[in-house]
Amino acid sequence: MHFNHYGGEAARLAADLVNLTAPPPPEHLEPLLATHGVVHHTLTAAQTETIWTWSRRLAACFGQQDLEERCQAVNTLLADASSSPRISLHDGRPHLHYSATGADAAAHIRAVTAAGLAYVVCSADAERLGRCARHACGLAFVDTSRNGRRTYCSVRCANNDAVARHRERRQGDIRPSTTRKTRRT
């Protein structure tokens, strides 16, 4: 499945922000933002703290949940991001921007990620905002698979979970031997 830049890529940015495990310093967050196409990604410590707090709120939109519950969570984020879409021609072609030109970087990231989640819910499928099914993982992800049935954040987690299930089954099949055969020579 292909997403437009401001929809799917912004939702992927939201998932990556959710998957942060601790408040990052600006120099660790800036490359992540650049990877997801955020042009103005130089941050102050205060902006980084704002994004960290926002990332904890984004987490409520990922994983198994009722459609109404997910829509309410995204709507709350959209309201709190409080930006209006605008048509921009900065690269010669009309496209939407979700924050005003010159907006604070943290405000822009809040607006873009909230809009990206809304885009996925409305244009793809709300269930595509998933959490890894592997017991020890739980990372957030945006399902871009063709059929929308992805349950793991990565192939590695899927393989690790399959191996663990296989080993559990094998443990159930192995019974200790009570007699031991001796070999004659």
Side-chain angles (χ1 to χ4, degrees):
M1 164 164 254
H2 297 285
F3 294 122
N4 72 27
H5 176 76
Y6 283 107
E9 194 59 39
R12 284 190 209 103
L13 171 58
D16 284 347
L17 291 173
V18 167
N19 293 333
L20 294 172
T21 58
E27 60 273 10
H28 291 161
L29 190 54
E30 290 166 359
L32 172 69
L33 298 174
T35 298
H36 288 286
V38 176
V39 176
H40 302 291
H41 53 267
T42 302
L43 303 170
T44 65
Q47 290 170 328
T48 303
E49 180 59 35
T50 299
I51 293 168
W52 167 254
T53 303
W54 182 253
S55 74
R56 302 307 84 191
R57 295 183 60 204
L58 292 169
C61 299
F62 289 87
Q64 293 286 328
Q65 58 188 281
D66 177 71
L67 178 60
E68 191 171 320
E69 181 182 348
R70 189 183 320 264
C71 289
Q72 181 57 47
V74 174
N75 280 334
T76 300
L77 292 172
L78 287 166
D80 292 348
S82 67
S83 69
S84 299
R86 290 166 176 72
I87 298 174
S88 173
L89 292 169
H90 69 82
D91 65 355
R93 298 185 57 217
H95 60 276
L96 286 175
H97 276 228
Y98 292 99
S99 62
T101 303
D104 171 75
H108 173 72
I109 291 162
R110 287 193 318 267
V112 166
T113 53
L117 294 175
Y119 172 84
V120 171
V121 168
C122 295
S123 299
D125 181 0
E127 295 299 316
R128 288 182 178 267
L129 300 175
R131 290 270 185 183
C132 186
R134 186 170 154 238
H135 177 68
C137 184
L139 289 177
F141 65 89
V142 179
D143 181 357
T144 58
S145 68
R146 181 176 283 183
N147 67 3
R149 303 261 191 262
R150 185 171 152 197
T151 56
Y152 296 96
C153 68
S154 65
V155 172
R156 183 179 201 168
C157 272
N159 288 341
N160 287 345
D161 203 37
V163 168
R165 287 191 317 270
H166 173 74
R167 287 180 178 157
E168 285 174 12
R169 283 192 305 271
R170 296 242 337 156
Q171 286 294 333
D173 290 344
I174 298 174
R175 296 180 184 93
S177 177
T178 54
T179 59
R180 192 172 213 172
K181 292 184 180 181
T182 56
R183 189 173 186 193
R184 295 184 188 174
T185 55

